[in-house]
Amino acid sequence: MTNKTLTLTEALHDYVVANGSEPDEVVRDLIAETARVLPENAIMQIAPEQAAFMTLLTRILGARQAVEIGTFTGLSSIAIARGLAEGGRLICFDVSDEFTSIARRYWARAGLTDRIELRLGPAAETLGALPLEPHLDLAFIDADKTGYLGYWEHLVPRMRPGGLILVDNVLRHGQIVDPSPSDASTVAMVEFNRRVLEDPRVESVLVPIADGLTIARRL
């Protein structure tokens, strides 16, 4: 019995992954390739247990229209696309052709190419091309932290009632509780978390999975 979330040791994390939708061959290969060819950036990839959680959450929601801001090498997009309802579509916004070229190969291997559309360019600009009416079932934000508030303001009006916005890295590797954060990304995240908590358009919860995941439901 415990009244707070456990700290995961390496052994306990391995157990969590092995006993909760262990990655298949495609995901294992994607994780391995990302670590091999992008060792300095591999930390940007979501955790395998978070990927499994996002697939299940997408499926429970019955999502058909989804967007992702920040694709990197494609693990989160695979997770979402695999959970989409029949005929569902995921639009991915990213600025890197280099990183997303890896994602595109793995989308093909996973048989998800027909479910995913990639739009390259600054999301602060390209998001504006989405229809203005509430139509999105699911959105995932995992890009530059200083841009989160802007992305949030683009997305919230476009979410249908009951739709979910997932926001990654809201704990900033524990730096979020630093009384005097030194980097701009953590400063921005402190403000973002406060704004989400006070936003009357949503109800939200911050879940301590991986680097912290906010789940916000559009009212």
Side-chain angles (χ1 to χ4, degrees), residues 49-174:
E49 68 273 21
Q50 181 178 338
F53 176 73
M54 288 170 57
T55 298
L56 184 59
L57 195 60
T58 304
R59 189 168 290 134
I60 291 170
L61 187 62
R64 295 176 58 86
Q65 300 293 328
V67 299
E68 171 184 79
I69 304 170
T71 295
F72 190 43
T73 58
L75 180 52
S76 55
S77 51
I78 288 174
I80 294 170
R82 282 178 164 174
L84 291 174
E86 180 98 18
R89 191 83 175 162
L90 169 65
I91 301 175
C92 294
F93 297 89
D94 203 284
V95 295
S96 174
D97 183 62
E98 176 191 2
F99 294 161
T100 56
S101 65
I102 298 173
R104 289 193 293 270
R105 285 194 286 105
Y106 281 89
W107 294 341
R109 276 192 59 184
L112 297 170
T113 303
D114 61 337
R115 294 188 179 193
I116 303 175
E117 175 188 348
L118 175 64
R119 298 185 185 181
L120 288 174
E125 301 170 12
T126 51
L127 275 171
L130 293 174
L132 289 173
E133 67 269 12
H135 68 287
L136 296 174
D137 302 304
L138 180 73
F140 179 51
I141 303 175
D142 185 18
D144 57 301
K145 311 314 169 194
T146 56
Y148 271 28
L149 270 176
Y151 305 145
W152 178 264
E153 291 302 331
H154 272 294
L155 289 170
V156 173
R158 292 173 165 88
M159 304 304 300
R160 54 102 169 153
L164 298 182
I165 302 179
L166 311 181
V167 188
D168 203 25
N169 303 120
V170 293
L171 294 181
R172 292 292 297 155
H173 307 287

Side-chain angles (χ1 to χ4, degrees), residues 184-198:
S185 293
T186 301
V187 171
M189 189 61 71
V190 170
E191 176 64 10
F192 176 80
N193 288 344
R194 183 186 68 80
R195 293 279 290 273
V196 171
L197 187 64
E198 296 175 354

Side-chain angles (χ1 to χ4, degrees), residues 18-51:
N19 288 273
S21 301
E22 188 172 14
D24 64 6
E25 182 180 9
V26 172
V27 170
R28 288 196 303 270
D29 288 352
L30 173 55
I31 292 171
E33 179 172 342
T34 301
R36 184 177 69 255
V37 304
L38 298 168
E40 295 182 1
N41 301 106
I43 195 172
M44 294 164 55
Q45 189 171 62
I46 67 169
E49 68 273 21
Q50 181 178 338

